[in-house]
Amino acid sequence: MSDSKLATLSFDLAWSGLVDTLRLGLYIRSMDKLRKEIFIGSVFFLLSLVLLSCGGGGGGSTGSGGVEIQQLKAEPSVVRPGESAALTVAATGGELTFAWQADAGALSAADSNPITWTAPSTVGNVLIHVAVTNKDGARATGVASVLVTVSPTGPVITSVNPAEAKTGSEIHINGAGFGSGPGGSLSIGGATASNIVSWSDTEIRALVPEGASTGAVQVVIGGVESSPGALVLLWTKENPENVPLATAANDQLYPQMVSDGSAGAMIAWADFRNGATADIYAQRVDGSGAPQWAADGIPISTAPNNQSFPQLVSDGSGGAILVWEDNRSGNYNIYAQRINRDGAIQWTANGIPISSAANAQQSPQLIPDGAGGAIIVWLDFRNGATSDLYAQRVNAAGVVQWAADGIPVSTAANAQQFHQLIADGAGGAIVVWQDHRSVTNADVYAQRINGDGAAQWTADGLPISVAANHQQNPRLVSDGAGGALIVWQDGRSGTDKIYAQRVNPAGAVQWSADGIPVSTTAHAQSAPQVVSDGAGGALITWQDGTDINAQRVSGAGAAQWAPGGVVLSAAADAQSFPRIASDGTGGAIVTWSDRRSGTHYDLYIQRINSGGTVQWTADGVALSTAANDQSSGAATAPAQIIPDGSGGAIVAWQDNRNGTWDIYAQGISTSGRE
């Protein structure tokens, strides 16, 4: 298959969710009109051009290496079944080749420009794709969405250009039935657009308003809503400026992040602004990267002594539940707090105790319980010098649900540590950890606990891998069927490799005993991370020697890409500690610490589709190359990443550009634009 066709197919995968949404909304609107109106007329095809802005300014689409689509148009834009339209793409970037593909109808050619498209006889939406490639392999892509509808009785949007824009920038909304002047209303991403540059019957030019988010663009004329257009909102700042979340005095460390459910994020961190001991602070940003709470964040706990290493999850209502390790009593315990979407504290000031048992409780991790509360697991030293694992459930009102100070997950000999957990889909949790009960080596164990806190598998945990040498640093993700896919760093061969195993809801391992190898490269492999591929399998990334690699594994344990995985970055010097988020279409977005500059750790990012093809600039897009270090390049403080809900991602990190550690963040769109 040619590079041009691969580019087109890659684009299809990335935007299929958005297109399906537009199709459904427009189809329902058409059916409503057919039911409500007695109308005899021709059935028309409206060609709605949705142009992807994959790069810099203007109204075009820029791929890596400088290919830019300046215009994509169809003439005429309304045709009857069987009639034809000429599709033309204007692009720059050197000597160009073109690849067209239509979901229905007929193209006069697949590799010319312009081409003629003949409409089919059937009613429905049709997509016409174009990929433009130069001799260096740089590509840019565009798509026309074809809608079948009755002759319009109200306003119709046929294109929004550019399709990715920042707050305050101008967009052009093309279509028909808008009237000769501003006689209606315009909403962009859920916010009313009041700054109108021009308004005619076929085009509205407007500035993207404050408060807009990624979503629909819609015109209302005389109470009649238009068909929706679509806009992806870009962050107002980009590399190397980025968005400062906390630049208060002294250090801000260890950021953690969760989606706010509205294209933004809530971020929590340990904060030393008040002196030598840490407190917990938090901030929320909207879909444009604008902080929503007080400058430098709001206090979650400023109790005496240290509050550190926060974690947080959504409360299901636009807010979050946070946990941390807390030394207010002179002994580390686990505390928690809930905040709403406005940052208002919901439980007791400075947090409620989750466990205040003897000795230390540290390193809490948590998941939503599906009912507005959370299940929390931590390292617990109540039984002696080595850590066990204990758990507690807290409800939405801040009341603990299980035994005081928590229930044991594993109290086997020696240390249980480096734990992670996921929801089991039935109100409980699956927990995985690194286990030292064998004394000589670390192994991987797991346990399932139900919503009442009762262990469902073997007491003290089910062995996932007890192969020779060490198995460590496990991570897990739901398999979509009540079980889990688990990955870890494995030393059985003498050189660390990444292995994986699947376990079903009953605690039975599904693949080869002790797991399957994920990659066959000769390099040492470490720091695995995993997300679901949405099809029962998983997308896995890791540090491969000094590079960043990725692999997709099916639910049956079969590698889906090249045996060694796909290289996301092989840039100079070291790339380390990747973090991964789903792109929502079967692929993933991966960020990592990067030393290619030779002096400092910067942040780079790459997207890979479900077929294993990287989507952005070779070796990754620079997310932050500000002065000094972005992230410490250490396992204790990697950057954090979450999906933005629109095929892109939000990344937060601790940043030393100002000489002390601060908290910064950056969003990136599905096309790799910041």
Side-chain angles (χ1 to χ4, degrees):
M1 184 177 291
S2 70
D3 288 344
S4 299
K5 291 182 178 177
L6 282 172
T8 303
L9 291 175
S10 299
F11 174 82
D12 289 349
L13 289 168
W15 281 85
S16 60
L18 173 59
V19 170
D20 287 346
T21 301
L22 293 174
R23 283 177 171 172
L24 179 59
L26 294 170
Y27 178 77
I28 290 171
R29 185 176 306 281
S30 297
M31 294 303 99
D32 284 344
K33 288 184 180 180
L34 285 168
R35 284 193 293 265
K36 295 176 182 177
E37 300 176 13
I38 298 175
F39 178 85
I40 299 175
S42 299
V43 176
F44 292 94
F45 286 88
L46 299 180
L47 278 76
S48 178
L49 302 181
V50 182
L51 186 60
L52 296 182
S53 298
C54 299
S61 168
T62 303
S64 61
V67 175
E68 180 179 349
I69 294 178
Q70 297 176 316
Q71 187 179 48
L72 174 59
K73 65 179 181 178
E75 292 180 331
S77 61
V78 178
V79 295
R80 294 178 177 85
E83 292 185 343
S84 297
L87 286 115
T88 305
V89 58
T92 60
E95 185 178 340
L96 303 175
T97 59
F98 306 90
W100 297 86
Q101 180 184 356
D103 288 357
L107 296 172
S108 61
D111 56 1
S112 300
N113 183 46
I115 56 107
T116 300
W117 173 80
T118 302
S121 60
T122 56
V123 171
N125 292 295
V126 178
L127 299 181
I128 303 173
H129 313 268
V130 63
V132 183
T133 308
N134 69 13
K135 63 180 180 179
D136 298 321
R139 297 189 296 270
T141 55
V143 63
S145 177
V146 183
L147 168 67
V148 62
T149 183
V150 296
S151 182
T153 58
V156 173
I157 292 177
T158 59
S159 68
V160 177
N161 187 31
E164 295 181 346
K166 295 182 179 183
T167 298
S169 60
E170 183 179 313
I171 61 173
H172 298 188
I173 301 142
N174 299 306
F178 301 152
S180 59
S185 63
L186 169 65
S187 66
I188 299 174
T192 299
S194 56
N195 198 334
I196 306 299
V197 177
S198 65
W199 189 305
S200 72
D201 190 59
T202 58
E203 182 185 65
I204 300 171
R205 297 188 177 191
L207 304 188
V208 178
E210 294 285 342
S213 60
T214 295
V217 176
Q218 202 155 44
V219 180
V220 178
I221 303 295
V224 179
E225 295 180 349
S226 70
S227 56
L231 178 73
V232 172
L233 190 70
L234 300 171
W235 278 35
T236 54
K237 296 183 179 179
E238 58 193 58
N239 177 50
E241 185 179 13
N242 310 121
V243 174
L245 303 183
T247 57
N250 304 322
D251 287 334
Q252 289 79 48
L253 303 170
Y254 316 125
Q256 297 291 315
M257 180 168 49
V258 68
S259 172
D260 69 352
S262 302
M266 290 174 283
I267 304 98
W269 62 88
D271 198 301
F272 288 85
R273 72 183 68 185
N274 296 320
T277 59
D279 299 315
I280 305 298
Y281 277 71
Q283 181 61 273
R284 178 180 163 228
V285 293
D286 68 9
S288 70
Q292 300 297 290
W293 299 338
D296 291 324
I298 59 168
I300 302 300
S301 179
T302 56
N305 300 330
N306 278 309
Q307 290 79 49
S308 55
F309 298 104
Q311 299 285 324
L312 73 166
V313 294
S314 171
D315 67 357
S317 301
I321 296 174
L322 302 91
V323 297
W324 61 91
E325 56 184 59
D326 194 301
N327 196 32
R328 70 184 70 183
S329 68
N331 184 57
Y332 276 106
N333 301 132
I334 306 301
Y335 274 71
Q337 182 60 270
R338 182 181 177 191
I339 54 175
N340 68 13
R341 67 178 293 106
D342 298 319
I345 297 297
Q346 302 297 289
W347 297 341
T348 304
N350 288 321
I352 61 167
I354 297 298
S355 178
S356 52
N359 302 328
Q361 290 81 49
Q362 294 178 295
S363 302
Q365 299 283 330
L366 77 167
I367 57 167
D369 69 355
I375 296 174
I376 305 159
V377 178
W378 64 89
L379 300 182
D380 198 299
F381 292 84
R382 72 182 71 182
N383 298 318
T386 59
S387 57
D388 297 319
L389 290 177
Y390 275 72
Q392 182 60 273
R393 182 178 179 184
V394 61
N395 70 11
V399 179
V400 296
Q401 301 296 289
W402 299 340
D405 293 324
I407 55 105
V409 175
S410 179
T411 57
N414 302 319
Q416 288 77 52
Q417 56 189 185
F418 302 114
H419 54 293
Q420 298 284 307
L421 71 161
I422 59 169
D424 68 355
I430 298 174
V431 189
V432 68
W433 64 90
Q434 178 178 316
D435 194 296
H436 293 265
R437 69 185 70 183
S438 73
V439 180
T440 55
N441 294 308
D443 298 312
V444 175
Y445 277 72
Q447 181 61 273
R448 181 182 176 194
I449 51 178
N450 68 14
D452 296 322
Q456 303 297 289
W457 297 343
T458 305
D460 286 325
L462 171 79
I464 299 298
S465 181
V466 291
N469 299 330
H470 61 259
Q471 288 78 48
Q472 58 187 0
N473 196 21
R475 296 291 186 268
L476 79 168
V477 68
S478 173
D479 67 355
L485 292 166
I486 303 168
V487 300
W488 63 90
Q489 181 177 326
D490 195 300
R492 70 184 72 180
S493 69
T495 301
D496 280 355
K497 303 296 181 183
I498 305 303
Y499 273 69
Q501 181 61 273
R502 181 179 179 185
V503 60
N504 73 9
V509 295
Q510 302 296 288
W511 301 340
S512 301
D514 293 321
I516 61 168
V518 170
S519 172
T520 59
T521 68
H523 301 125
Q525 299 160 3
S526 60
Q529 297 288 311
V530 60
V531 293
S532 172
D533 68 355
L539 298 157
I540 304 161
T541 187
W542 65 92
Q543 183 178 328
D544 197 281
T546 59
D547 300 329
I548 303 298
N549 281 28
Q551 179 63 273
R552 182 180 178 190
V553 176
S554 73
Q560 302 297 288
W561 301 338
V566 175
V567 178
L568 302 185
S569 178
D573 214 317
Q575 289 81 50
S576 55
F577 302 109
R579 288 294 184 267
I580 188 169
S582 170
D583 70 355
T585 58
I589 299 174
V590 180
T591 188
W592 62 88
S593 296
D594 197 299
R595 286 266 300 187
R596 72 183 67 181
S597 70
T599 55
H600 298 293
Y601 283 104
D602 296 318
L603 287 176
Y604 279 72
I605 193 165
Q606 180 63 272
R607 178 173 167 235
I608 186 166
N609 71 10
S610 60
T613 302
V614 294
Q615 301 295 287
W616 299 340
T617 304
D619 294 325
V621 173
L623 193 70
S624 183
T625 55
N628 301 330
D629 287 326
Q630 284 69 57
S631 84
S632 66
T636 55
Q640 300 296 308
I641 184 170
I642 61 170
D644 67 1
S646 301
I650 299 172
V651 182
W653 65 92
Q654 63 183 55
D655 192 299
N656 197 240
R657 70 183 68 189
N658 300 316
T660 59
W661 290 108
D662 299 318
I663 307 298
Y664 276 73
Q666 184 61 58
I668 191 164
S669 76
T670 187
S671 66
R673 288 190 68 189
E674 296 171 18

